[in-house]
């Protein structure tokens, strides 16, 4: 009898674990259809992290928060909240990696030994009052803090915050854009640099009430870059730690890949890259390594494109490289295939790849039996000479149910859609929300032929006032589709721009049906 009671208790715990995880876990990237007996429900809670925007005295940052209207239908009728609050910082000894003084002798060890400093202000930033209408806030403070936020109830599904910074002059000049990231335990950043002409900081932000311990691993063309300065970085609760990547190695490397691993706790991570000639922008994390990769949204007037890729597993990868154009898939001249050695970063200059036509890069295994995972990102440049500007496009996840891009203005937004598989067309509904200051939502449907890309000027709300959000929703039965949004805001003759990939917002989860299995009661 005693053993039977223990078995019954185990059954109850197992069932609770299954249903509990389903309520908060993200759907698998490839799971477009629900398994038999399961149901799709809106998530109940979301978390977002926005890194400290800039230390420039001539920078201005805008935050735009948005939650899709009607996304949380059936979310227990809870109204909920959605807001961000300032995070603490780490004052590192010697102002090394934990600050922006850049003393390379101390590096990430400074961050580990530094002291957490609480934020001066704890007022909520961009709190939402209703779904379907963006809320905006701006700051020009050079010491603006990182932000840690959460949403629950009706605001949780699809909650999105865009951070856009304009820096008028100086080494970090340009337009920097980032969709604030979700916390996780591992991130990949192909395309980072520790060269002397770049200053790349990885911003680590801890959203939780317990410390996080993080390792930073750099991979160059010959494999792992020597040095242990990136180990055991402590990120205190509700605090952000910026680490200058050049302090992690004694070998300046132009094209590298960064792996962020939280061994304890979880963090949000994003890389702020600043180039002496090409301006600055955020490099968001790439999608989880997979055998194929899609990098959407290369602008038609790109003057140079550089691909940086890595096979992080134990096996080499051989890839077919194709550009999805408005007329179909083409192979770049001289780059029919790409070989990636395990653990080694490979960089290829694709120059003016698009030739005046917008496109998206598609990487697939050369051999159908090859399953070696890869991760990749593009550095894209517009303009010439002293008036150049760079942005980054990492590999991204497909849009399964819905994706959102906030901070769109009356002009300057371009939406890129790509259906990478031949014969599998994608039909997509794009909705422009109400404006932050007024306006009526407008929707439009686009069809993207399989194996092609489509760049469009997105719809705008009628009577728009302020900024608005775009939601991208594939229709049921549609082929796979990937998306990105480019913001273009020229600065004194410089074609300043930034590109944000639009992965699925994972605003809903599959909850499997649970049933009794009396076989668990047998001895």
């Amino acid at each position: 009898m005693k053993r039977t009671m223990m078995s019954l208790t185990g059954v109850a715990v197992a069932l609770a674990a299954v249903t509990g995880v389903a309520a908060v876990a993200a759907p698998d990237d490839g799971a477009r259809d629900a398994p038999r007996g399961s149901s799709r429900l809106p998530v109940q809670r979301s978390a977002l992290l926005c890194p400290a925007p800039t230390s420039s005295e001539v920078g201005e940052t805008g935050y735009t928060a948005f939650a899709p209207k009607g996304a949380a239908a059936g979310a227990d009728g809870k109204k909920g909240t959605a807001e961000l609050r300032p995070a603490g910082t780490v004052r590192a000894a010697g102002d090394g990696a934990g600050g922006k003084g850049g003393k390379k002798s101390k590096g990430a060890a400074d961050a580990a030994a530094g002291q957490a400093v609480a934020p001066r202000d704890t007022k909520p930033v961009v709190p939402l009052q209703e779904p379907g209408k963006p809320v905006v806030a701006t700051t020009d403070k050079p010491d603006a803090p990182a932000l840690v936020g959460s949403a629950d109830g009706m605001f949780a599904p699809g909650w999105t915050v865009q951070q856009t910074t304009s820096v008028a002059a100086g080494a970090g000049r340009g337009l920097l854009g980032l969709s604030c990231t979700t916390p996780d335990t591992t991130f990949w950043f192909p395309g980072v640099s520790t060269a002397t002409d770049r200053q790349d900081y990885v911003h680590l932000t801890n959203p939780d009430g317990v410390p996080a311990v993080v390792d930073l691993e750099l991979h160059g063309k010959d494999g792992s870059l020597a040095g242990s300065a990136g180990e055991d970085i402590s990120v205190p609760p509700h605090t952000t730690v910026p680490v200058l990547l050049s302090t992690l190695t004694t070998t300046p490397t132009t094209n590298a890949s960064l792996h962020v691993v939280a061994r304890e706790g979880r963090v949000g991570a994003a890389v702020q890259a600043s180039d002496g000639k090409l301006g600055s922008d955020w490099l968001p994390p790439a999608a989880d390594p997979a055998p194929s990769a899609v990098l959407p949204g290369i602008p038609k007037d790109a003057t140079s494109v550089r691909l940086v890729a890595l096979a992080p597993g134990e096996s080499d990868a051989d890839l077919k490289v194709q550009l999805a154009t408005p007329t179909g898939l083409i192979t770049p001249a001289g780059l029919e295939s790409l070989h990636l050695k395990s653990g080694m970063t490979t960089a290829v200059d694709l120059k003016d790849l698009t030739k005046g036509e917008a496109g998206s890069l598609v990487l697939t295994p050369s051999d159908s039996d090859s399953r070696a995972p890869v991760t990749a990102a593009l550095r894209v440049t517009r303009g010439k000479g002293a008036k150049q500007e760079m942005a980054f496009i990492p590999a991204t996840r497909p849009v399964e149910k819905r994706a959102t891009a906030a901070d769109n203005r009356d002009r300057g937004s371009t939406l890129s859609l790509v259906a990478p598989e031949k014969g599998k067309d994608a039909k997509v509904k794009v909705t422009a929300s109400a404006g932050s200051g007024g306006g009526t939502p407008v929707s439009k449907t686009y069809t993207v032929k399989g194996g092609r890309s489509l760049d469009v000027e997105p719809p705008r709300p009628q009577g728009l006032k302020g900024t608005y959000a775009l939601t991208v929703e594939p229709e049921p039965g549609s082929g796979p589709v990937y998306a990105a949004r480019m913001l273009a805001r020229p600065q004194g003759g410089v074609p300043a721009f930034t590109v944000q990939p639009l992965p699925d917002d994972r605003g809903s989860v599959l909850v499997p049906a649970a049933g009794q299995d009396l076989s668990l009661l047998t001895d």
Side-chain angles (χ1 to χ4, degrees):
M1 180 66 180
K2 188 173 182 180
R3 294 181 65 185
T4 303
M5 289 302 296
M6 291 178 65
S7 297
L8 286 171
T9 302
V11 173
V13 171
L15 290 175
V18 170
T19 56
V21 170
V24 297
D28 292 337
D29 287 346
R32 298 182 64 85
D33 299 311
R36 182 178 300 175
S38 64
S39 58
R40 183 172 289 275
L41 298 175
V43 297
Q44 300 172 4
R45 187 175 179 85
S46 299
L48 289 176
L49 307 169
C50 306
T54 180
S55 60
S56 174
E57 297 285 348
V58 291
E60 181 173 311
T61 298
Y63 299 96
T64 306
F66 178 78
K69 192 173 184 179
D76 299 329
K78 296 179 180 178
K79 182 178 180 181
T81 59
E83 62 184 24
L84 297 151
R85 291 183 182 270
T89 58
V90 167
R91 180 176 295 160
D95 193 29
K100 295 194 177 182
K103 290 190 177 182
K104 297 184 180 182
S105 61
K106 293 185 179 295
D110 281 347
Q115 294 182 341
V117 179
R120 292 194 300 268
D121 188 359
T122 59
K123 293 180 181 178
V125 179
V126 287
L128 291 181
Q129 301 299 321
E130 60 180 299
K133 183 178 180 179
V135 173
V136 299
T138 60
T139 181
D140 59 2
K141 295 180 179 180
D143 60 348
L147 302 176
V148 177
S150 63
D152 57 22
M154 65 192 301
F155 295 113
W159 182 47
T160 301
V161 179
Q162 168 80 12
Q163 174 180 300
T164 307
T165 302
S166 178
V167 179
R173 64 108 177 109
L175 187 68
L176 299 84
L178 180 72
S179 293
C180 297
T181 59
T182 57
D184 208 336
T185 57
T186 182
F187 303 86
W188 284 98
F189 296 92
V192 301
S193 175
T194 64
T196 55
D197 60 349
R198 279 267 291 270
Q199 275 205 327
D200 287 16
Y201 283 87
V202 59
H203 290 246
L204 308 171
T205 307
N206 181 357
D208 300 320
V210 296
V213 179
V214 177
D215 290 342
L216 303 178
E217 306 166 358
L218 284 168
H219 297 262
K221 63 182 179 64
D222 297 319
S224 179
L225 296 179
S228 59
E231 296 179 356
D232 298 324
I233 298 174
S234 178
V235 187
H238 309 299
T239 299
T240 190
V241 174
V243 179
L244 181 61
L245 296 186
S246 60
T247 65
L248 304 181
T249 177
T250 57
T251 306
T253 303
T254 300
N255 303 299
S257 299
L258 171 67
H259 189 199
V260 177
V261 181
R263 290 190 289 108
E264 296 180 20
R266 57 177 189 160
V267 295
V271 172
Q272 189 180 61
S274 179
D275 187 283
K277 296 181 180 179
L278 303 178
S280 59
D281 204 351
W282 289 100
L283 170 57
D288 291 340
S292 299
V294 177
L295 300 88
I298 306 172
K300 63 181 180 182
D301 59 350
T303 50
S304 71
V305 178
R306 176 183 294 171
L307 169 65
V308 181
L310 173 77
E314 297 180 355
S315 301
D316 294 357
D318 288 293
L319 299 174
K320 180 190 299 183
V321 181
Q322 294 178 296
L323 181 69
T325 73
T327 55
L329 290 166
I330 63 172
T331 300
L335 193 63
E336 289 77 13
S337 63
L338 180 65
H339 180 71
L340 303 180
K341 293 184 178 180
S342 172
M344 302 180 184
T345 298
T346 298
V348 181
D349 281 320
L350 303 175
K351 300 180 181 180
D352 55 341
L353 172 71
T354 57
K355 304 293 185 182
E357 281 191 327
S360 299
L361 204 65
V362 179
L363 307 176
T364 54
S366 297
D367 185 345
S368 59
D369 295 329
S370 174
R371 303 299 298 173
V374 300
T375 182
L378 299 172
R379 191 202 70 184
V380 179
T381 304
R382 298 172 71 216
K384 295 181 179 180
K387 297 186 179 299
Q388 295 184 74
E389 168 78 336
M390 71 175 182
F392 295 94
I393 303 174
T396 188
R397 303 190 307 270
V399 183
E400 303 283 352
K401 298 295 180 181
R402 183 188 59 233
T404 301
D407 193 18
N408 300 281
R409 313 286 175 87
D410 184 52
R411 295 179 181 178
S413 293
T414 301
L415 179 64
S416 298
L417 303 170
V418 56
E421 298 185 20
K422 287 185 178 180
K424 294 185 178 181
D425 298 353
K427 197 170 185 179
V428 179
K429 184 176 78 169
V430 178
T431 300
S433 74
S436 57
T440 304
V442 172
S443 295
K444 188 173 182 179
T445 299
Y446 301 91
T447 298
V448 188
K449 296 291 185 180
R452 301 185 184 185
S453 65
L454 176 67
D455 268 30
V456 297
E457 183 177 335
R460 291 187 292 273
Q462 294 181 355
L464 170 65
K465 293 181 181 180
T467 70
Y468 68 100
L470 289 170
T471 55
V472 177
E473 299 173 282
E475 294 194 355
S478 176
V481 63
Y482 297 73
R485 187 276 314 271
M486 182 179 80
L487 295 177
R489 297 174 188 170
Q491 299 176 347
V494 176
F497 75 115
T498 181
V499 179
Q500 281 74 59
L502 304 182
D504 191 87
D505 64 20
R506 292 177 169 175
S508 61
V509 292
L510 293 177
V511 180
Q516 295 181 352
D517 185 354
L518 299 181
S519 65
L520 293 173
L521 303 181
T522 59
D523 291 339

